[in-house]
């Protein structure tokens, strides 16, 4: 009996609108013995709807697009009682999660890797019960993910996030929050915060591969307190330039869960997409929750 594969494509993601490489990927899936059903997303949230509606009918699900498309696919998969394995073909302008997994950017190579994969169960996060794949973040660099226009991100890729992040940094808008882990409480004003399970955070900040394990049930918590004097500001700039998050004034921890309380209800992003703010946010790591084809 032939295997079945649901292939979900975001036609608006990435730097090119040519579908030719994706046709090659579909052909490769067919050669491997899959009956492929292709669906294009038409609007935000559509990938999640397609997976929720159709996903249980297939042996495999593969999505192609940016991190937001992957986020939607995961949200859909987590609604299924017996979720099939999920594959990912990076098609966005930055693709942070794909970078953490060293996934090929070429659709044909990515398709072959999915075909050859035996599957690996990875952690998934929840933000007040809303699933996310690799990062929930707030603050200066968070806005870069969704305020940089898609056309600019398509043209400039990673540079677009850097330019937007630098513009945000110049405003130095602090956020008042109390951040609680199982062992510590951090209370104060923060320029940036991220709860992440990836080596690339928000298209701007990088972590070393040895610092991040994708299936250990732990997130990496990164907090950047608001500098109160010129020396602290200088240290912050040094950390950003050198991508060193172990120095003084920067909080970096490995945690299974985080609670963030704030009087503002400031905005967050989940996997680079805008997420509504709340005065109390509970973030949990669901260890090895989903099987990915990597």
């Amino acid at each position: 009996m032939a295997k079945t594969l649901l292939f979900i494509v975001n036609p608006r993601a990435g730097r090119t609108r040519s579908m030719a490489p994706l046709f090659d990927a579909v052909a490769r899936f067919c050669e491997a013995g899959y009956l492929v059903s292709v669906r294009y997303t038409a609007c935000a949230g559509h990938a999640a709807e397609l997976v929720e509606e159709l996903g249980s009918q297939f042996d495999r699900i593969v999505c192609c697009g940016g991190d937001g498309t992957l986020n939607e696919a995961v949200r859909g998969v987590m609604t299924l009682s017996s979720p099939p394995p999920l594959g990912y073909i990076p098609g966005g302008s930055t693709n942070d999660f794909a970078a953490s997994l060293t996934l090929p950017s070429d659709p044909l190579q990515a398709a072959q890797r999915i075909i050859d994969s035996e599957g690996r169960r990875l952690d998934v996060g929840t933000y007040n019960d809303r699933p996310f794949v690799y990062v929930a973040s707030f603050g200066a660099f968070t806005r870069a993910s969704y305020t940089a226009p898609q056309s600019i991100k398509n043209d400039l890729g990673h540079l677009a996030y850097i330019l937007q992040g630098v513009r945000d940094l110049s405003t130095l808008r602090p956020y008042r929050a109390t951040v609680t882990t199982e062992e510590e409480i951090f209370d104060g004003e923060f320029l940036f915060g991220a709860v992440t399970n990836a080596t690339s955070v928000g298209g701007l900040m990088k972590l070393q591969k040895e610092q991040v394990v994708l299936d250990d049930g732990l997130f990496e918590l990164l907090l950047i307190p608001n500098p109160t004097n010129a020396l602290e500001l200088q240290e912050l700039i040094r950390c950003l330039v050198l991508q060193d998050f172990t120095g003084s004034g920067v909080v970096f921890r490995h945690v299974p869960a985080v609670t963030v309380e704030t009087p503002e209800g400031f905005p967050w992003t989940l996997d680079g997409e805008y997420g509504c703010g709340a005065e109390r946010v509970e973030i949990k790591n669901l260890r090895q929750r989903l099987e990915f084809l990597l």
Side-chain angles (χ1 to χ4, degrees):
M1 184 176 179
K3 299 170 289 186
T4 56
L5 186 149
L6 175 62
F7 190 28
I8 296 176
V9 178
N10 179 353
R12 293 165 301 284
R15 298 183 179 127
T16 176
R17 298 185 185 278
S18 173
M19 293 291 105
L22 297 183
F23 296 153
D24 293 336
V26 171
R28 182 60 57 88
F29 287 135
C30 293
E31 292 169 359
Y34 286 97
L35 292 177
V36 181
S37 179
V38 181
R39 296 288 190 277
Y40 292 100
T41 61
C43 58
H46 195 195
E49 295 174 2
L50 288 170
V51 172
E52 184 173 358
E53 177 185 357
L54 304 172
S56 60
Q57 305 171 27
F58 292 83
D59 299 310
R60 300 285 188 272
I61 299 173
V62 176
C63 65
C64 178
D67 293 330
T69 304
L70 176 63
N71 174 281
E72 291 186 15
V74 166
R75 283 163 46 197
V77 167
M78 289 187 65
T79 66
L80 305 178
S81 57
S82 299
L86 176 63
Y88 178 42
I89 295 180
S93 53
T94 299
N95 305 309
D96 284 327
F97 191 64
S100 299
L101 297 167
T102 63
L103 297 181
S105 58
D106 176 72
L108 190 59
Q109 294 178 14
Q112 188 61 54
R113 183 157 165 174
I114 290 170
I115 292 168
D116 295 337
S117 174
E118 296 181 356
R120 177 184 175 189
R121 301 195 71 86
L122 299 182
D123 301 342
V124 174
T126 58
Y127 168 99
N128 285 351
D129 297 325
R130 175 180 171 179
F132 67 92
V133 182
Y134 74 95
V135 66
S137 60
F138 69 85
F141 305 110
T142 298
R143 292 195 300 273
S145 296
Y146 59 84
T147 56
Q150 185 63 50
S151 60
I152 299 299
K153 289 192 286 186
N154 289 347
D155 292 337
L156 300 180
H158 186 75
L159 179 59
Y161 292 91
I162 294 177
L163 294 176
Q164 187 67 40
V166 168
R167 190 177 76 174
D168 286 341
L169 181 60
S170 67
T171 67
L172 291 178
R173 193 287 172 86
Y175 292 83
R176 179 76 190 183
T178 300
V179 182
T180 304
T181 71
E182 287 187 341
E183 300 180 351
E184 298 174 278
I185 297 176
F186 305 98
D187 184 72
E189 293 186 335
F190 302 95
L191 292 178
F192 175 79
V195 183
T196 178
N197 197 33
T199 57
S200 180
V201 181
L204 185 65
M205 308 180 75
K206 304 292 183 180
L207 299 175
Q208 299 301 314
K209 289 185 177 181
E210 58 268 20
Q211 295 175 306
V212 180
V213 180
L214 302 180
D215 58 0
D216 63 352
L218 298 175
F219 285 127
E220 283 60 57
L221 169 66
L222 179 64
L223 298 172
I224 297 181
N226 183 36
T228 59
N229 56 55
L231 288 178
E232 291 182 358
L233 177 59
Q234 183 178 358
E235 172 65 10
L236 170 58
I237 294 174
R238 185 196 70 82
C239 289
L240 294 177
V241 171
L242 299 180
Q243 297 290 281
D244 174 18
F245 306 115
T246 61
S248 62
V250 177
V251 175
F252 184 78
R253 300 287 190 273
H254 303 280
V255 297
V258 177
T259 299
V260 180
E261 297 173 285
T262 171
E264 300 181 64
F266 47 67
W268 290 66
T269 64
L270 306 179
D271 299 333
E273 301 298 315
Y274 178 77
C276 296
E279 293 184 0
R280 180 183 174 89
V281 171
E282 294 186 359
I283 298 174
K284 300 178 182 179
N285 184 300
L286 306 182
R287 185 175 187 184
Q288 300 179 13
R289 177 62 172 79
L290 292 181
E291 182 179 0
F292 288 83
L293 301 169
L294 306 171

